Amino acid sequence: MERSVVLAAENLNIAFSEGRREIPVVSGVSFHLREGEILGIVGESGCGKSVTSLALMGLLPKRTARISGSIRFQGEELTEYSESSWRKIRGNEISMIFQEPMTSLNPLFKVGDQLEEALRVHTKKSRKQAKEQALRMLAAVGLPRPEELLREYPHQLSGGMRQRVMIAMAMMLNPEILIADEPTTALDVTIQAQILALMKEINEKMNTSILMITHDLGVVAQTCHRVMVMYAGEIVEEGSVKEVFQSPKHPYTIGLLKSIPNTAEKKARLYSIPGQVPKPGSIKEGCRFAARCEHAFDRCAKESPELLKAGNHLSRCFLAEKGGLPDDRAAVKG
Ligand SMILES: Nc1ncnc2c1ncn2[C@@H]1O[C@H](COP(=O)(O)OP(=O)(O)OP(=O)(O)O)[C@@H](O)[C@H]1O
Ligand code: SF4
Ligand SMILES: [Mg+2]
């Protein structure tokens, strides 16, 4: 039986106004996040990952951001929400964690006060109940000596501990959805693996749906069930992690896969996709990846490919119509 959809974006477009100009940064993004699923969004810097996630939390600057399309959660249209409605679901139904915990943690307040506050804003729990829940959550995210931690300030903790505190805070109200924007990028490899394992555990034990945003396909491989690859504000490939890793269809995804460090082979020089993501506002007609694509042909400069079925998943590339790349897997091994 297919699991129910908890969050659905349909044809989401986001632009920022700059003077009289409107600069599009996210174009026609649609996706479904299912109950208990970990869905990855992956792409290079500037692709629109964070802007998309902030839109899902109602956190884009009202003055400059223009959003069209639909975001549906529990049968409600979030793009029409007022700030007070957002406040009811933020942290309660949908929580977010960031790369740098200090953006969520207030350096001036003790860990305990911040955790308890998260609960008391949304529920009528007493101080004692809030403290008990804070202790439970600190233990659940694998932090030692929770009683003492409640009395400490964020700067007294290591980066990995702060990240765990932030996850505990995000999980205080057992939200349906957790959005994690580069949750481990600032951490060293060992701590990164521990935090990712913790997020998987939360997903499995609490059935929380997670949107995992990362520039690192290694993180996707370790945690996600399904993945969307974003390029220059568009989704260019989408499918199950197994499918996309075993049989990537889009040249950009293939480039990203080739760029994953392979410690076993100890390659002397790591592959990187030549060129750069086009700056928003500079995007012309045709395939957005054309300037960097080694398979580009005449049509790619003139027409924009749609996200269509390629094999068992979706890809935005004309080559899919021609039966795909000559040998997808060989292309990755490169
Ligand atoms: N508040 C804003 N006003 C104007 N432009 C913005 C704003 N926030 C982001 N942008 C632009 O939108 C584009 C997408 O940015 P976004 O932060 O979503 O990228 P990203 O994929 O998260 O990259 P990174 O991996 O570096 O975090 C960028 O070109 C960025 O400069
Ligand atoms: S449509 Fe053309 S330029 Fe774009 S990814 Fe496919 S082959 Fe490359
Ligand atoms: Mg970002």
Side-chain angles (χ1 to χ4, degrees), residues 246-319:
Q246 282 184 357
S247 178
K249 300 292 180 207
H250 196 283
Y252 179 58
T253 313
I254 292 170
L256 288 180
L257 284 165
K258 275 162 81 174
S259 323
I260 299 179
N262 184 340
T263 39
E265 286 176 31
K266 288 212 172 56
K267 281 190 184 155
R269 256 190 70 224
L270 195 61
Y271 175 82
S272 70
I273 305 169
Q276 278 161 357
V277 183
K279 291 245 167 343
S282 74
I283 288 167
K284 301 189 184 66
E285 62 180 0
C287 171
R288 296 183 180 192
F289 189 57
R292 303 172 74 185
C293 180
E294 56 184 300
H295 304 282
F297 53 104
D298 295 352
R299 188 180 173 194
C300 307
K302 297 181 209 128
E303 284 176 55
S304 304
E306 287 178 54
L307 189 64
L308 296 173
K309 209 156 173 35
N312 288 324
H313 60 275
L314 300 172
S315 167
R316 189 186 290 279
C317 171
F318 294 130
L319 288 175

Side-chain angles (χ1 to χ4, degrees), residues 18 90 160:
E18 245 182 52
R90 229 185 263 139

Side-chain angles (χ1 to χ4, degrees), residues 39 42 217 225-229 235-254 257 306-317 319-321 323-325 328-329 332:
L39 172 64
V42 69
L217 272 173
H225 304 118
R226 217 148 48 81
V227 61
M228 301 190 300
V229 182
I235 296 174
V236 296
E237 182 149 10
E238 181 184 341
S240 74
V241 166
K242 194 162 168 238
E243 269 274 328
V244 171
F245 276 68
Q246 282 184 357
S247 178
K249 300 292 180 207
H250 196 283
Y252 179 58
T253 313
I254 292 170
L257 284 165
E306 287 178 54
L307 189 64
L308 296 173
K309 209 156 173 35
N312 288 324
H313 60 275
L314 300 172
S315 167
R316 189 186 290 279
C317 171
L319 288 175
E321 295 168 14
L325 290 164
D328 303 330
R329 299 241 280 151
V332 176

